[in-house]
Amino acid sequence: MMKVPYRLYRGFPDSVANNKGGAVSKPHHRDYWGRRRLACGNIPFILLLTFLSSCANRGIGPQGGPKDTVPPRMVKEQPLNQSVNFHGKKIEITFNEYLQLDNIQQNLLVSPPQQVPPVVKAVGKKVTVEMQEDLIDSTTYTLDFGSAICDYTEKNPVRGYVFAFSTGDRIDSMEVYGRVANAEDLNPVSGLMVGLQANLHDSAFSTLPFTRVARSDSLGEFGIQNLRNGVYRLYALQDQSRDFLYQPGEGLAFADSLVIPEYETEIVFDTIWKELADPIDSLASVPQIDTILTIRNTYVGPADLLLWFFKEDKQRYYFQRAYRDEPHIIKLQFSAPQDSLPALRAMPPSAMDSTRADSLWTDPWAYTLLQANPTRDTLVYWLTDSIAIRQDTIYLEMTYLKSDSLYNLVLQTDTVSAIYRAPRMTQKAKEAQEKKARERKLDLKSNAKDKFEVYDTLCVIAAFPIDSIYTDSIRLYEKQDTLLIDKPFTLLRKDVMSFQVVAPLQQGKQYELHLDSAAVRDIYGVASDKKKFTLKLKTPEDYSTLLIRLPDYDPRIRLQLLSEKDQPVRELPAREEGTKFEYLAPKTYYLRLYFDLNGDGRWTTGDWATKRQPEPVYYFPAKLSLRANWDFEERFDYLARPQLEAKPRELRKDANATKK
């Protein structure tokens, strides 16, 4: 069970009476003046001692007292906290020391939420709040100041101060409590707007402000107070627009079931014994019993509400920019990964400026080569035509998918200018640059290294797009002492910039890859220089093996091995006989699983439109410290512990603070 936070902060001024009910005694006037004369007669002697003491301690400067760490204390409220039938607009709260306000717009939370926030000022020892909106009849209002009120000198915040009043004849006092956790990694999420909505229609989430609101703390916990008896829907919202309404693109959470605040009725019987007053009455010696019936309502929540926060798999797609760092390259950058490539058409200069001639223009798009990254959010077009390369500006007509205001993808056509600004340089520098270009060799790199992973593939990467590879000029050797044994291999083009050398490499063996001069040529006809790459494969003794058994096996489960930064490093589908992670580096790992409910082989977030919750995630409760040349086996009973408590403590972080 989570710890239920304090419901309301109620401060009461300390009593100013020091004498506890007794009369104040005054000194006799003779004794009083006698003591005065004695004290005055000793003043010169005391001054002399003070002077001598200050001379003896001249090297010791003024000593400051301990740092003030005590927050201000409330001493007066106008009107009083928990007032009813309040119809004013101004609230005054006085404290025992001078004040300042810290980020009041972020800290102050008014419930029901206000579209126009109140004006809050701190003058001297007083905080004033002036409501800017008309108050709703028969409604309880709550002002949660968070940590906004601080003392003036040390900025010690007043924490947990909540002021409540009602415009009706009663204070609504029902409450609910819960937690918000990030659905993917189960971390708490702070600073979210958590709200109850009395309108039960789904559309109310995006059209009507919340009925009551609270804010999640650093543990993801929230408490919504001063509720009226009723039925509500519960939401959490990363309210970036600060309008208490869901907008597409904002992170959210929603409860599948309705929330009904509850209370328990307790009947208490108090018995009072008394005797009859008339002694003549024969029943006077028999005590009489009076019974007082008291009914108490104790509000009990619910106090264990749980919301799974997620961000929808909806990104705003738009074109960001086009740039040419080099005359032979055009880069197009988009805001998010693209499922499809844009349609591009080069435009002559006259299409942009009717005064310009097209006689020297050539269509560069007939001579381009595309290099796309895996997510297609950055597209690199290599120009191969010399005339096109010499053009300062290349105009493109681009048709691509762009998000509208509702995140729907629609076709958009734009005109793009790819401009190259040649750097200014002296004639000598220009000649040196041209000489370097003439003498350029195609640079080749490789992932070959000592302690090469046995599951990896040998790869060669070029600095420019590859046009041709001459297999006869490439050799793969296995090194045995001083001998080089020729090994068969196959070349596979990986992309425009690289190729793979596929061969049956053996663990613990050492190999050399030799490339003769001109073994590879790029699209500009430049040949590679002579190269040699060496690698040595790891042995089984360099690895660990981990076997995970699930007592509650489900074919939809996928297991993720995590780094110490809570990031997946390996993922496998669960096997009924046990899931084996092989060839693991001997270090510390963590483990979690998720249910792949839609069968797409990856964790899927939630979706508000279809009311789909994120796929559930469970953590293994301990870290896994693996050693080289060892086989480990673990039993992962993901239902043995509460879902949020199972995550190892060292991995728990405030999900919102992590992103800041």
Side-chain angles (χ1 to χ4, degrees):
M1 287 289 293
M2 60 167 280
K3 182 178 179 182
V4 178
Y6 291 111
R7 299 181 179 181
L8 285 176
Y9 172 94
R10 297 183 179 90
F12 296 93
D14 290 345
S15 173
V16 296
N18 293 323
N19 114 30
K20 301 180 181 179
V24 178
S25 59
K26 298 181 180 179
H28 191 272
H29 68 280
R30 290 182 180 177
D31 293 339
Y32 175 76
W33 288 111
R35 288 195 295 272
R36 290 280 295 175
R37 284 193 297 271
L38 178 61
C40 293
N42 289 334
I43 286 177
F45 179 71
I46 294 172
L47 290 175
L48 177 62
L49 289 177
T50 304
F51 173 75
L52 293 175
S53 174
S54 64
C55 293
N57 294 280
R58 189 178 298 273
I60 303 177
Q63 302 299 305
K67 182 179 179 181
D68 179 17
T69 59
V70 180
R73 175 171 46 84
M74 189 277 299
V75 296
K76 183 181 178 181
E77 296 166 328
Q78 180 62 36
L80 291 176
N81 205 340
Q82 304 286 302
S83 291
V84 296
N85 296 316
F86 178 72
H87 299 287
K89 287 291 189 73
K90 188 173 182 180
I91 299 166
E92 295 183 347
I93 308 164
T94 305
F95 290 80
N96 66 335
E97 55 182 308
Y98 291 98
L99 306 170
Q100 61 175 310
L101 297 177
D102 181 27
N103 201 1
I104 188 67
Q105 297 298 330
Q106 292 290 333
N107 276 300
L108 178 63
L109 186 62
V110 182
S111 185
Q114 308 284 287
Q115 294 296 332
V116 181
V119 176
V120 185
K121 298 179 181 178
V123 180
K125 300 180 180 181
K126 184 180 296 184
V127 173
T128 61
V129 181
E130 292 191 35
M131 309 297 286
Q132 302 299 299
E133 292 185 2
D134 293 335
L135 302 180
I136 306 171
D137 292 336
S138 302
T139 301
T140 299
Y141 283 82
T142 304
L143 282 69
D144 186 344
F145 287 87
S147 57
I149 304 175
C150 308
D151 65 33
Y152 191 79
T153 55
E154 299 294 341
K155 212 173 182 179
N156 296 311
V158 179
R159 299 188 185 277
Y161 181 71
V162 178
F163 187 91
F165 65 88
S166 175
T167 56
D169 57 3
R170 58 173 293 176
I171 293 284
D172 296 323
S173 54
M174 304 191 80
E175 306 165 351
V176 297
Y177 295 92
R179 301 172 71 178
V180 187
N182 192 43
E184 186 173 8
D185 56 21
L186 310 191
N187 280 330
V189 191
S190 67
L192 295 179
M193 200 65 63
V194 184
L196 287 172
Q197 179 58 262
N199 188 315
L200 303 183
H201 293 287
D202 293 337
S203 60
F205 188 29
S206 56
T207 58
L208 297 175
F210 293 129
T211 305
R212 306 292 300 183
V213 293
R215 186 180 286 118
S216 61
D217 62 16
S218 60
L219 299 178
E221 298 179 350
F222 65 88
I224 305 179
Q225 303 163 343
N226 299 112
L227 282 170
R228 184 175 299 174
N229 189 20
V231 181
Y232 302 91
R233 288 200 179 277
L234 177 65
Y235 305 95
L237 182 62
Q238 193 177 42
D239 192 17
Q240 297 172 337
S241 55
R242 299 183 62 82
D243 58 0
F244 306 99
L245 302 173
Y246 167 69
Q247 304 287 351
E250 293 178 332
L252 71 149
F254 60 92
D256 289 324
S257 56
L258 299 175
V259 174
I260 304 175
E262 304 169 355
Y263 63 89
E264 292 178 348
T265 300
E266 182 182 8
I267 301 177
V268 180
F269 294 94
D270 292 331
T271 302
I272 299 178
W273 296 80
K274 68 177 182 178
E275 294 187 358
L276 293 178
D278 187 0
I280 301 176
D281 194 329
S282 60
L283 297 177
S285 60
V286 180
Q288 301 298 305
I289 301 175
D290 281 354
T291 301
I292 299 178
L293 178 65
T294 303
I295 300 177
R296 300 173 183 171
N297 290 332
T298 303
Y299 299 98
V300 295
D304 56 354
L305 298 171
L306 183 57
L307 290 173
W308 298 112
F309 176 79
F310 64 93
K311 288 190 175 181
E312 295 178 295
D313 192 14
K314 294 180 180 178
Q315 302 185 64
R316 194 170 292 281
Y317 293 88
Y318 58 91
F319 172 68
Q320 290 183 321
R321 62 171 181 154
Y323 54 100
R324 289 174 71 187
D325 294 334
E326 300 289 342
H328 54 276
I329 294 177
I330 296 177
K331 293 183 180 179
L332 304 179
Q333 189 170 340
F334 296 85
S335 64
Q338 306 289 307
D339 290 331
S340 59
L341 294 172
L344 291 162
R345 181 176 69 88
M347 301 174 63
S350 60
M352 306 301 298
D353 185 356
S354 59
T355 63
R356 298 182 62 179
D358 299 333
S359 57
L360 298 178
W361 179 79
T362 182
D363 185 356
W365 234 243
Y367 309 98
T368 56
L369 184 66
L370 171 63
Q371 177 195 353
N373 65 345
T375 56
R376 294 182 175 180
D377 54 2
T378 300
L379 305 178
V380 180
Y381 291 90
W382 295 79
L383 303 176
T384 60
D385 182 77
S386 59
I387 298 178
I389 292 174
R390 287 196 295 268
Q391 294 174 2
D392 292 339
T393 304
I394 295 177
Y395 300 103
L396 301 173
E397 183 185 77
M398 180 173 64
T399 302
Y400 63 101
L401 292 174
K402 181 180 179 181
S403 300
D404 62 12
S405 59
L406 298 178
Y407 281 73
N408 297 315
L409 293 177
V410 295
L411 285 175
Q412 172 80 15
T413 300
D414 290 332
T415 301
V416 178
S417 299
I419 304 173
Y420 174 70
R421 302 296 186 192
R424 293 183 179 181
M425 59 179 63
T426 63
Q427 183 63 29
K428 185 177 179 180
K430 186 180 295 186
E431 291 174 356
Q433 185 185 61
E434 292 174 353
K435 180 181 178 182
K436 184 178 179 180
R438 289 193 302 268
E439 297 176 351
R440 179 178 71 87
K441 296 290 184 179
L442 177 60
D443 186 30
L444 299 178
K445 295 182 179 179
S446 173
N447 63 341
K449 61 180 180 179
D450 194 21
K451 295 187 177 180
F452 192 80
E453 303 291 349
V454 299
Y455 52 81
D456 211 345
T457 303
L458 182 59
C459 186
V460 177
I461 304 101
F464 285 76
I466 298 171
D467 178 69
S468 53
I469 305 172
Y470 300 94
T471 309
D472 294 343
S473 300
I474 301 175
R475 291 286 186 273
L476 178 64
Y477 300 102
E478 179 184 321
K479 190 173 182 181
Q480 298 180 3
D481 297 329
T482 58
L483 299 177
L484 294 178
I485 309 301
D486 208 346
K487 301 294 291 185
F489 63 90
T490 303
L491 297 182
L492 293 178
R493 289 293 293 268
K494 186 177 179 182
D495 52 41
V496 298
M497 307 289 288
S498 62
F499 61 91
Q500 294 178 328
V501 181
V502 181
L505 306 181
Q506 297 182 12
Q507 298 177 15
K509 299 291 186 179
Q510 187 171 350
Y511 296 88
E512 291 185 2
L513 180 66
H514 292 197
L515 294 94
D516 296 337
S517 297
V520 182
R521 287 187 180 272
D522 65 22
I523 57 176
Y524 302 109
V526 178
S528 61
D529 210 346
K530 190 174 183 180
K531 279 282 186 178
K532 182 180 77 171
F533 300 107
T534 62
L535 65 152
K536 183 178 181 180
L537 271 67
K538 288 184 177 181
T539 65
E541 290 75 19
D542 295 321
Y543 293 101
S544 299
T545 300
L546 177 63
L547 180 65
I548 304 298
R549 297 190 185 277
L550 300 173
D552 294 288
Y553 169 74
D554 189 304
R556 300 172 297 176
I557 291 177
R558 292 184 67 88
L559 292 161
Q560 289 182 325
L561 209 58
L562 309 173
S563 69
E564 292 182 288
K565 294 184 178 181
D566 204 10
Q567 297 298 317
V569 295
R570 197 85 66 85
E571 180 173 328
L572 290 174
R575 304 294 183 192
E576 189 169 8
E577 67 278 8
T579 307
K580 182 180 288 189
F581 290 91
E582 298 181 288
Y583 304 119
L584 296 175
K587 57 183 180 180
T588 298
Y589 297 92
Y590 294 87
L591 183 67
R592 73 182 175 201
L593 64 80
Y594 68 89
F595 280 80
D596 185 17
L597 301 180
N598 61 1
D600 64 352
R602 62 186 183 93
W603 182 81
T604 303
T605 187
D607 183 77
W608 168 244
T610 60
K611 307 302 176 291
R612 187 191 70 226
Q613 292 284 2
E615 293 178 338
V617 174
Y618 296 84
Y619 272 78
F620 186 72
K623 65 181 179 182
L624 305 170
S625 298
L626 305 187
R627 296 170 59 184
N629 200 26
W630 279 64
D631 293 338
F632 295 84
E633 181 175 328
E634 292 289 348
R635 184 175 182 271
F636 188 179
D637 187 358
Y638 57 90
L639 299 177
R641 302 181 64 175
Q643 194 171 0
L644 294 182
E645 295 179 12
K647 182 169 184 175
R649 186 173 300 274
E650 56 269 28
L651 292 183
R652 299 180 196 176
K653 299 177 183 177
D654 181 343
N656 231 5
T658 303
K659 298 175 183 177
K660 292 179 182 179

